[in-house]
Structure formats: C-alpha cells, structure tokens
Amino acid sequence: MTEPKAITRIQVQGFRSLKSIDLEPGRITVLIGANGSGKSNLLSVLRMVPLLRTQSLRRFVAESGGASALLHYGSSATQEFGLRIEFTENTGFYAYSAKLGYTSGDTLHFDEEGIEGRPLGDHEPLTESLGAGHIESRLDEAARGLASTDLKVVRAWLSGMSFFHFHDTSRTSPLRQNARQSEDQYLRSDGSNLAAYLFILANSDATDDIAAWKRIGMLVRRVAPYIKRLVPERVDPSHPERSALRLRWIDENDHRFDVSDLSDGTLRALALITALSQPVNRLPRFLSIDEPELGLHPAALGLVADLVRSVSSRCQVLLATQSPALLDHFEPGEVVVAERQSGETSLRRLDAARLASWLEDYSLSELFDKNILGGRPHFDALGSLAGATP
C-alpha cells in the first residue's frame, strides 16, 4: 500500500545526462555515485520544480547558462525535456507534468503543462491542461480563477519542495552575510538568510518555533560544545524596522563572537541542523540536500543522519553524497546508485536481499569502497576513465 502524503515518482527525460530516468523516492533516499554520474543533474531538476511555480523558469535557465546547456547533449541533439512528478495524499493520487521545448534566444517554453487528479475509489485520473506556448508556468494564473482541488494539491506539493546546498563557507559566502528582516519566511537554499531565519525562531511566541529554537541550540552544542548560545540580532537596534540581522554567538567564557569566527565545518553543521530541525509548520514536504558530508566531523555526520531519520516521518528527504561513512547510517533499500554510461545516467536502488550475504561480513561503506554497490569510477585497461564524456 502506498504511503499517504508522499512524492511517489519522479520522471525526467532529456535533461543534461538524464536522458530518461524514473525514480520512486521513499521517506529517505540516499543517492550515491561517482563525479559526473548525474546526481547533481537530478538535484538541479528538483531545485527547478518549485521555481516553476513562482514563474522563475527564465531566471533558472539564465543562471544555468542557457537552455542548450540544460538539454541532453545540447539543443542540436535534444529539443525538449520532460518532467512528471506524482504525489499521493489521503484523498487520492495527483500529478504534475510539463514538456519544455527549446526556442530562439536559447530559452525554453512550455510545449505542454498539466495536472492530474484521481480521488480515492476512482479508476481513471482527471486531466487538466494548463495550455502550451507560454514561457512561465500557469499554475498560479490558473489558481487565481476557480482553482480545482487537484490544482490546489499540486501547487502545495510544488511549493513544499526545497533544495539545500551549503557548500560555500568562504569569508564572503552567503552563509556569513547579514540578512534583511523580511527574509524570514523560509530558509533559503544557500543559507543566505540564516541570520533572519534564526532570529524569527528565537523571537517567536509560537510553541513550535520556540521548541525548534531550543532544539537547534542543543544540537549545535553537541557538534561544537564551545558554543554556549547562538545570538541572532539586529545590526542597528536603534532602527529595528530597517536594521539588517546578523548572527553572533557566545562561547563558554561568555565572550561574544561573530559568525565569521565559526569554522567552515561548524557553520555547515549549523545550517544543516537548522534545515532539519525546522518547526513542523515551516518544514518542507520534500527536501533534497547536496553533499551534506562536506567539512563535517564524523560525529557531526552521525548527528545529521539521525536528524534525517527523525524528520523523515514528516518530510521526505533526498541526500546526494559521495561519503562512504554516511551510508552506514542508512538501510540498503534507502540507497539509490547513479551511474553514467555513454553519456546517460541510470538509477538503481540497492537490493537488500541480494546484499544480505555480503552484509553479514561487511558494512555498506566497505561494500561501496570495494565497488560491490557500484557508483564508483570505472577504469579501462589503460587506466583511464571508461566511458568518460565531457
């Protein structure tokens, strides 16, 4: 029986190395694979989906280097890419689909866009077309009319998908910058509004916000015991309405430090802990995190894995990783292997039954290192990468 309230299927065709992939995500999906296998391409699609709803397709295409850069082997080989996401709710089955075609100016437009809904007990889904030829999604435009229940469900799911990548912790990184007070509605994908998001939690009267703020502080101290307290505060208290927000912290000697004094690993851990400890009413329905292991101590990595497990009952989580150590915190059936051959990405979920005899003597990380699981670079007899393509 399908779990209620979940994304049950993601299909992509013609996007970069994803010529044709079909993923059935669970509550937790751990995506492993070598560099260039296509993990980041799948994450890029997942980042694009909520941007479609906010009519930000053109911005996404421009930031990606143009439409041709998004198509499988470019516009000369592929003229269109397709996307389909299926969801289940307690009330039934729903889907969003789109076909995005290449057009002049190195841009994309909608060749097709539509939604589907099938209430419990019905055998055939009801399909609602949102038209063709438009350059931004018509989901919100349709919603301004008499929105159907199906449309409302699909919009809620697309709005509830979040993507996080906290790679940049340099001196000028978004994570270390001040934030505007108006940027506190949700945690941004690069953590650029971390100070504002923590500020709203720290100063909220809502029970869930208060609990989340306390939880974040407690978990950060487990990673960095020297941090006595986080202090998100106004830069200019004399003008609270206009002041930017900054993140500071107090150590065990009651000395106050700035976010710039946090190590790269501690800052990444803080961002991950915040993303995975959000109040239930602020928590995304589906979140994907790219390489959460970067710069983390093994103890912090274990904590992040425990948080993923804890939050997965309320939010589906997809992790893309190259860390063997992270695998040992998850079950074989939660692991999906991405591999690339002849320029195409394939996805394969690990078969726990077939690995059972191996797992009597080895951990998942050891099997990954031995290349029993796949997802590692392949070399030909001359020592070069087999099947490598630019």
Side-chain angles (χ1 to χ4, degrees):
M1 182 176 179
T2 305
E3 276 190 86
K5 296 186 178 180
I7 292 179
T8 55
R9 194 173 193 181
I10 300 169
Q11 295 175 300
V12 184
Q13 301 86 33
F15 185 90
R16 292 178 172 162
S17 68
L18 309 180
K19 184 177 182 180
S20 181
I21 62 105
D22 191 338
L23 174 66
E24 297 180 1
R27 300 307 305 178
I28 297 173
T29 304
V30 182
L31 187 63
I32 63 172
N35 288 332
S37 61
K39 302 189 305 299
S40 294
N41 292 338
L42 177 58
L43 288 177
S44 187
V45 170
L46 295 176
R47 184 170 70 88
M48 180 192 72
V49 170
L51 293 176
L52 291 180
R53 191 199 64 79
T54 59
Q55 298 190 322
S56 300
L57 175 61
R58 283 175 292 183
R59 190 189 84 190
F60 175 82
V61 171
E63 291 175 349
S64 301
S68 188
L70 295 174
L71 297 168
H72 182 63
Y73 277 93
S75 58
S76 60
T78 305
Q79 288 288 305
E80 177 185 80
F81 84 81
L83 168 70
R84 179 180 173 85
I85 303 180
E86 298 178 1
F87 327 91
T88 56
E89 286 273 344
N90 294 328
T91 54
F93 160 90
Y94 304 88
Y96 172 82
S97 61
K99 290 185 178 179
L100 297 161
Y102 183 80
T103 190
S104 60
D106 201 22
T107 60
L108 295 172
H109 70 278
F110 285 83
D111 288 337
E112 295 177 16
E113 186 179 25
I115 63 171
E116 295 177 22
R118 186 179 66 216
L120 288 176
D122 288 3
H123 298 291
E124 294 296 329
L126 300 175
T127 301
E128 183 176 345
S129 172
L130 299 180
H134 45 291
I135 58 177
E136 294 289 0
S137 171
R138 288 181 175 167
L139 272 171
D140 276 6
E141 180 182 330
R144 285 193 287 270
L146 296 175
S148 66
T149 300
D150 298 348
L151 181 59
K152 291 177 181 177
V153 171
V154 170
R155 288 178 68 248
W157 268 105
L158 298 192
S159 300
M161 297 178 68
S162 291
F163 168 79
F164 295 113
H165 60 104
F166 303 128
H167 296 58
D168 186 5
T169 51
S170 65
R171 295 295 97 184
T172 58
S173 73
L175 276 170
R176 298 187 187 273
Q177 303 309 306
N178 295 339
R180 293 191 295 268
Q181 291 193 53
S182 59
E183 298 174 342
D184 59 8
Q185 292 87 355
Y186 60 91
L187 183 63
R188 292 188 172 177
S189 62
D190 60 358
S192 57
N193 66 332
L194 182 61
Y197 195 75
L198 290 174
F199 184 88
I200 195 67
L201 295 181
N203 293 276
S204 173
D205 294 326
T207 301
D208 285 350
D209 289 353
I210 294 169
W213 171 245
K214 291 180 178 178
R215 183 166 58 248
I216 291 167
M218 176 191 69
L219 294 172
V220 167
R221 285 191 294 275
R222 286 178 56 183
V223 173
Y226 56 87
I227 296 179
K228 182 177 179 179
R229 184 158 55 96
L230 295 170
V231 187
E233 62 183 14
R234 294 186 175 94
V235 174
D236 184 2
S238 63
H239 294 89
E241 297 82 9
R242 302 194 304 271
S243 177
L245 299 171
R246 64 183 172 191
L247 179 59
R248 305 192 75 185
W249 55 280
I250 296 173
D251 77 350
E252 67 271 34
N253 294 320
D254 291 325
H255 190 86
R256 188 174 293 246
F257 292 89
D258 192 73
V259 68
S260 60
D261 297 308
L262 289 175
S263 70
D264 292 353
T266 301
L267 184 56
R268 286 194 188 102
L270 169 58
L272 287 166
I273 288 169
T274 302
L276 294 167
S277 301
Q278 299 181 67
V280 173
N281 64 314
R282 297 176 184 268
L283 194 65
R285 296 186 177 202
F286 185 103
L287 66 86
S288 47
I289 303 176
D290 191 17
E291 297 186 317
E293 70 274 9
L294 285 179
L296 295 193
H297 185 276
L301 193 61
L303 174 62
V304 168
D306 289 344
L307 276 174
V308 169
R309 178 72 61 197
S310 175
V311 80
S312 66
S313 63
R314 301 179 297 279
C315 167
Q316 287 176 275
V317 182
L318 183 146
L319 306 176
T321 182
Q322 297 187 75
S323 168
L326 189 60
L327 288 181
D328 289 336
H329 295 277
F330 299 99
E331 300 298 322
E334 295 170 332
V335 178
V336 172
V337 182
E339 296 188 287
R340 178 169 172 165
Q341 188 171 14
S342 300
E344 297 179 21
T345 295
S346 64
L347 301 179
R348 171 177 51 85
R349 188 174 295 277
L350 293 185
D351 187 331
R354 295 184 65 180
L355 290 172
S357 59
W358 282 100
L359 290 170
E360 291 177 3
D361 300 309
Y362 301 98
S363 66
L364 275 180
S365 61
E366 290 171 328
L367 295 180
F368 185 50
D369 284 335
K370 293 176 181 294
N371 208 16
I372 301 300
L373 306 182
R376 301 297 295 269
H378 296 285
F379 293 86
D380 62 22
L382 297 178
S384 59
L385 279 171
T389 55

